[in-house]
Amino acid sequence: MLGDGVYAGDGFLQIIGYGSVPVQPTLPPEAELIILQDVALIRKMACNLVSLRQLRREGIYWDMKQQRRGTYLRDKYDEVICELEDKHGQFVIEDLPRGLHSAEWSSSPLS
C-alpha cells in the first residue's frame, strides 16, 4: 500500500505530513504573506501547488479577465491579494530560487 501521495510524471511522491506553510507572493512587491492551510508536505516536490477548489472555499478567486493586464488572486471584496507570474509554463505565486524551499513548516505527520 502506497499511502497518501500524488502521481507526478511517471512516479509516485509520498506525502509525509500535512500542515501550514507561509508563501510570500513575488508580485506586487508589497504583497502580504499568505499562509496556506492544510497543505501536503512532499519532500521531492519543487514548489507549492495551490488548489483552485480550496481557494474558492476560502472566498478567493482566480481573476483571468482579458481586459486586465495581469492574472490575479482576489478576495471576496474584489481586492487584489497578489499577481500571479507566468513562469516555467505555470502560474506562480512565489518564485523561489532552484533548490530553496520555504523556511517554515508547521506540520502534523501522518500516522
Side-chain angles (χ1 to χ4, degrees):
M1 175 163 243
L2 294 174
D4 286 351
V6 296
Y7 287 95
D10 61 357
F12 182 80
L13 301 176
Q14 190 75 38
I15 294 173
I16 62 171
Y18 293 90
S20 303
V21 65
V23 175
Q24 180 61 58
T26 306
L27 293 174
E30 66 276 5
E32 293 183 19
L33 191 71
I34 299 171
I35 306 296
L36 301 178
Q37 304 288 337
D38 300 321
V39 296
L41 175 60
I42 303 172
R43 292 268 184 229
K44 294 182 180 180
M45 188 65 73
C47 62
N48 291 313
L49 304 178
V50 178
S51 164
L52 180 58
R53 180 175 288 117
Q54 287 183 321
L55 288 175
R56 288 179 58 192
R57 196 175 304 141
E58 295 297 320
I60 297 170
Y61 74 94
W62 192 311
D63 179 1
M64 299 181 347
K65 295 178 182 174
Q66 295 296 325
Q67 66 268 27
R68 298 197 177 157
R69 194 175 132 258
T71 301
Y72 304 92
L73 291 182
R74 292 182 179 269
D75 65 17
K76 61 184 175 183
Y77 305 108
D78 204 36
E79 296 294 321
V80 172
I81 296 171
C82 69
E83 183 175 350
L84 302 173
E85 287 187 272
D86 190 350
K87 288 192 148 195
H88 320 293
Q90 304 290 323
F91 286 109
V92 176
I93 295 173
E94 178 183 43
D95 188 26
L96 296 173
R98 190 174 282 253
L100 181 66
H101 300 283
S102 284
E104 297 179 47
W105 176 266
S106 171
S107 69
S108 55
L110 292 173
S111 318

